[in-house]
Amino acid sequence: MTGLIDAAFASRRVVMTFMVVAILFGAISYMTIPREAEPDIPIPVVSVAIPFPGVSPEDADRILVRPTDLELRGLEGLKEMNSYAYESMARIFLEFETSVDIDTALIDVREKVDAAKSKYPSDAEEPIIEEFNAQTLFPIISIVLSGNAPERSIYRTARDLKDKLEAVSGVLEANLQGARDELLEIVIDPATLSAYNLTQSEIVNAILSNNRLVAAGAVETGTGRFSVKLPGVFKTVEDVMELPLKVDGDIVIRAGDIAEVRRTFVDVDGYARLNRQPAIAIDITKRIGANILDTIDEVRSIVEAEAETFPDSIKVEYINDTSIYINEQLNTLTASVITAIVLVMIVVVAAMGLRSAFMVGFAIPTSFLIGFILLVVNGYTLNFMIMFGLVLAVGMLVDAAIVIVEYADRRMQEGVDRTNAYMDAAKRMFWPIASSTATTLAVFIPFLFWENETGEFMKFFPITLIFVLSASFLVAIIFLPVIGSLIGPKMTIGALGRMPLSKAELCATPGVNGAYGRFISRAIEKPGLVLFSAIAIIVSIFFLFRAASPAVEFFVRAEPFEVHVFMSARGNLDADEKDAIVREVEERLTELDGVKSKFAITGAASRGDDMPADAIGILRIDLAPFEERRSGRAIMEDVRRLTMDIPGVVI
């Protein structure tokens, strides 16, 4: 390996150029790396949804769930399968082993579901098969349109805005929450129907047989070719009203003669409100690998541009904006990294002097920037696990640089010129530094083979340390010696060049060094006592820990920025009865302190994958910024206290 060091010193300009290029690309990588809160981890879960409008939960279990379960049981690598039957839908969740390739699992699930489709009733809709992903499960921001405007006005505004937001490159989906689909309602007058001697079935058949597009192929004319079609799709209300139903001589009876045709919405099965005002929300989910901050900035700019054209009665508000949380989190961790660097530099300056501290301090940002290059090349994002890894790495990555600079300084104080001093330091310290770095990395390498969702989440921590500490080894062995040979002092002969202090001289030294020398001298004279004391301390700590029995949690408790209030109730409740319960919860929480906004969704509109089976609604409480409110846990306790006595309802 000394040949590598000789080659580096023989081509110092090439090494310096490579270092500058690495720093430049590292800075670009840091500025362009996608940022997000949690790591992007694969979740080996596949969802199968089978819509069947109007089916009861009992029938959905019998005619949808059971035949599908029988087909899916034989899937390779299947760990657990849970099935649920709802009104108008059946849903099956398949959890696979983490070693299973999720793309292959999706293909297998589709084949099994296709085989089960032959046993479904003809009215069942096409099954929806989806892969779960941590980044696509939850919206990164929700845009809420609310106000006293007519429902159709809010709906059309939200629908147009949804189409524009889905065109953003980083947006995967923009889903409407609390919106009812539009439809045409044909109200027949029975007296008029009898007068024209028509039946309801004739009218229904006439409408269904006409509302379709018939492709009639193509016609060859000898001089050209053109397609032929029979347009019969209804595009406007007038198309339905002009539809001929019956011809009696010269009289043509049209739909408009016997019925009233009007635009309306499907029947109400849920409500949505923001701060007790009618509302429709647009939930935005991002694509995998997209920069969440850039995506939210682009979404906000589009919304703000479109909001200038909205009616005055429609207000726009953002809830669950994760960019605020991510910025606060990353800024806090960035400040922690900077603080750690400053503290490390203070210690190094106090121990080694200003010039040597500059050489050691150079290793910190250089190692970080090279680490960012490796993160970007491997497709990782900047998240809080990586930032924690950087905080931990600050104190470790300077170890190799300290050894090189300290040894080179000692050699120069003995009279060696700076080039030979740094070359000698790199050669002499190569294997000790390599061994030290390898043993440190060996502690974290087993984390890479932790095969479950937790392991996929935690692996970003050791990956960051491996990248940064490997970069620090390169900086200490190659870059620092070359830089030191170019800008270090030519030769300094000083106090460190004399013989080491004797035991008596060390013990007689005043201050901390002397006290440490006297303590070590006594400890060396009584090794048995020192060994016994060490064992006694270890055993005492073990028994004290067992006696304390501290509470065990999977993850640290964090301050919430959003609170979800789920409401569950049983019985044959209609949409208005469910909404009345949700309104009562809203009413009780009106004066809740520390709340920015409250978005309520009732009934079918609130149905989500994380909802209890008997949930009737959800209240999403967006908390005020942390510095402007009390503890989020205190707010949650107040929510429980204010809603605990609603009869027949579980909060």
Side-chain angles (χ1 to χ4, degrees):
M1 289 300 176
T2 58
L4 177 63
I5 298 172
D6 291 332
F9 274 84
S11 306
R12 287 185 284 186
R13 290 185 178 180
V14 175
V15 172
M16 294 296 291
T17 302
F18 178 79
M19 182 187 68
V20 172
V21 171
I23 292 174
L24 177 62
F25 276 91
I28 295 174
S29 300
Y30 173 73
M31 291 185 291
T32 58
I33 186 171
R35 289 164 166 79
E36 57 192 6
E38 292 82 17
D40 182 12
I41 62 172
I43 300 178
V45 176
V46 176
S47 164
V48 180
I50 312 169
F52 191 165
V55 70
S56 66
E58 294 81 3
D59 291 335
D61 176 64
R62 179 173 53 85
I63 62 180
L64 298 178
V65 171
R66 292 184 183 180
T68 311
D69 276 354
L70 292 175
E71 293 290 341
L72 294 174
R73 285 178 183 175
L75 284 171
E76 183 178 356
L78 182 62
K79 180 180 179 181
E80 185 176 326
M81 179 168 60
N82 293 298
S83 304
Y84 302 90
Y86 307 109
E87 185 176 350
S88 300
M89 176 177 288
R91 188 181 288 273
I92 301 172
F93 295 102
L94 305 163
E95 181 181 356
F96 292 87
E97 301 289 347
T98 54
S99 58
V100 174
D101 181 69
I102 195 63
D103 294 328
T104 303
L106 277 170
I107 295 174
D108 294 341
V109 170
R110 289 191 176 97
E111 291 177 351
K112 296 292 186 180
V113 172
D114 287 341
K117 281 166 54 178
S118 60
K119 303 174 184 177
Y120 297 164
S122 58
D123 293 338
E125 298 182 2
E126 187 69 20
I128 303 170
I129 303 172
E130 296 177 319
E131 170 196 356
F132 275 18
N133 184 275
Q135 300 301 320
T136 59
L137 277 177
F138 310 105
I140 59 175
I141 187 174
S142 297
I143 300 96
V144 183
L145 307 182
S146 62
N148 291 319
E151 181 180 5
R152 178 166 284 108
S153 177
I154 299 178
Y155 173 75
R156 289 181 177 177
T157 303
R159 186 184 58 191
D160 294 341
L161 182 59
K162 170 183 180 295
D163 294 338
K164 290 182 172 62
L165 294 177
E166 286 184 332
V168 176
S169 58
V171 172
L172 177 65
E173 289 182 333
N175 298 315
L176 294 181
Q177 291 285 349
R180 291 192 292 164
D181 293 333
E182 284 190 298
L183 55 79
L184 279 180
E185 187 175 63
I186 303 175
V187 182
I188 301 173
D189 183 359
T192 307
L193 192 68
S194 176
Y196 284 109
N197 196 24
L198 288 169
T199 63
Q200 292 184 7
S201 59
E202 289 178 317
I203 300 175
V204 172
N205 291 332
I207 293 174
L208 294 179
S209 61
N210 278 274
N211 189 29
R212 62 183 60 190
L213 179 66
V214 180
V219 174
E220 299 280 356
T221 64
T223 58
R225 183 177 184 274
F226 60 91
S227 299
V228 177
K229 64 179 181 179
L230 303 177
V233 177
F234 300 142
K235 296 182 178 180
T236 64
V237 174
E238 288 72 21
D239 291 341
V240 181
M241 296 182 68
E242 293 297 323
L243 177 67
L245 301 176
K246 184 177 181 180
V247 178
D248 187 4
D250 295 334
I251 301 175
V252 178
I253 303 173
R254 305 181 184 276
D257 298 330
I258 63 168
E260 178 186 357
V261 183
R262 60 196 181 197
R263 299 178 68 93
T264 184
F265 293 92
V266 298
D267 293 338
V268 175
D269 58 4
Y271 297 90
R273 288 182 300 278
L274 177 69
N275 297 328
R276 305 170 71 183
Q277 293 287 329
I280 294 178
I282 308 174
D283 288 340
I284 305 296
T285 55
K286 80 174 188 72
R287 296 185 183 277
I288 299 175
N291 190 316
I292 189 171
L293 300 181
D294 292 343
T295 301
I296 290 179
D297 286 342
E298 192 171 353
V299 166
R300 276 179 169 269
S301 62
I302 292 176
V303 173
E304 289 169 3
E306 292 296 320
E308 296 179 358
T309 64
F310 292 171
D312 294 337
S313 56
I314 298 179
K315 306 299 180 184
V316 179
E317 187 163 339
Y318 304 98
I319 63 174
N320 191 28
D321 187 349
T322 55
S323 66
I324 299 175
Y325 169 68
I326 293 173
N327 276 322
E328 290 179 353
Q329 188 180 64
L330 294 182
N331 290 340
T332 301
L333 287 173
T334 302
S336 299
V337 172
I338 295 173
T339 303
I341 293 173
V342 172
L343 294 175
V344 169
M345 291 304 300
I346 291 174
V347 174
V348 174
V349 170
M352 303 181 64
L354 189 60
R355 187 194 63 81
S356 297
F358 170 77
M359 297 286 293
V360 173
F362 172 79
I364 299 176
T366 307
S367 302
F368 278 172
L369 293 176
I370 295 176
F372 279 118
I373 294 176
L374 297 175
L375 289 171
V376 170
V377 168
N378 286 274
Y380 296 119
T381 60
L382 184 62
N383 51 68
F384 78 92
M385 289 299 294
I386 287 178
M387 294 298 291
F388 278 133
L390 295 179
V391 173
L392 183 62
V394 171
M396 293 189 290
L397 64 85
V398 296
D399 293 347
I402 289 175
V403 171
I404 292 292
V405 173
E406 176 67 20
Y407 190 87
D409 283 349
R410 178 173 289 275
R411 294 291 290 154
M412 285 188 288
Q413 289 166 349
E414 293 173 352
V416 180
D417 65 275
R418 64 187 182 191
T419 300
N420 288 321
Y422 275 97
M423 183 182 295
D424 192 19
K427 291 180 178 180
R428 293 284 185 91
M429 295 294 109
F430 180 88
W431 286 114
I433 292 176
S435 301
S436 174
T437 304
T439 53
T440 303
L441 295 181
V443 177
F444 300 100
I445 287 177
F447 283 89
L448 301 177
F449 303 96
W450 192 350
E451 292 186 349
N452 56 26
E453 293 86 349
T454 306
E456 293 293 331
F457 182 84
M458 294 296 296
K459 75 176 183 181
F460 290 88
F461 189 74
I463 284 174
T464 303
L465 290 173
I466 291 171
F467 285 167
V468 174
L469 293 182
S470 300
S472 72
F473 176 75
L474 174 66
V475 171
I477 293 298
I478 302 297
F479 291 162
L480 273 185
V482 171
I483 294 174
S485 68
L486 295 174
I487 66 175
K490 294 183 178 180
M491 186 181 301
T492 57
I493 302 177
L496 287 177
R498 63 186 178 91
M499 294 296 292
L501 295 173
S502 66
K503 175 182 175 182
E505 290 174 327
L506 181 61
C507 292
T509 302
V512 177
N513 289 339
Y516 175 70
R518 291 187 291 273
F519 174 77
I520 290 298
S521 297
R522 296 191 185 98
I524 291 174
E525 294 172 356
K526 300 178 180 179
L529 178 61
V530 173
L531 180 60
F532 175 78
S533 301
I535 295 175
I537 291 173
I538 293 174
V539 172
S540 299
I541 292 174
F542 176 78
F543 280 104
L544 287 173
F545 183 82
R546 290 286 301 271
S549 298
V552 178
E553 292 184 332
F554 177 70
F555 215 72
V556 295
R557 292 187 179 184
E559 178 65 25
F561 63 95
E562 186 181 34
V563 175
H564 287 188
V565 183
F566 297 98
M567 287 149 275
S568 299
R570 300 200 174 174
N572 296 321
L573 304 176
D574 61 23
D576 290 329
E577 290 172 324
K578 295 177 182 178
D579 188 55
I581 296 174
V582 176
R583 283 182 180 274
E584 182 175 354
V585 174
E586 286 184 272
E587 184 68 29
R588 293 188 175 209
L589 301 179
T590 300
E591 303 300 329
L592 191 64
D593 184 38
V595 173
K596 181 181 176 183
S597 62
K598 296 190 289 289
F599 181 64
I601 313 176
T602 305
S606 66
R607 174 59 55 198
D609 298 327
D610 58 343
M611 292 282 286
D614 55 354
I616 61 171
I618 176 175
L619 184 64
R620 291 160 54 179
I621 301 176
D622 211 19
L623 301 181
F626 176 73
E627 61 275 8
E628 301 176 6
R629 60 171 169 84
R630 55 202 173 105
S631 167
R633 300 198 174 277
I635 296 176
M636 294 171 67
E637 288 301 322
D638 282 349
V639 171
R640 295 188 179 97
R641 177 178 55 82
L642 294 171
T643 59
M644 65 184 299
D645 59 342
I646 301 178
V649 179
V650 178
I651 304 295

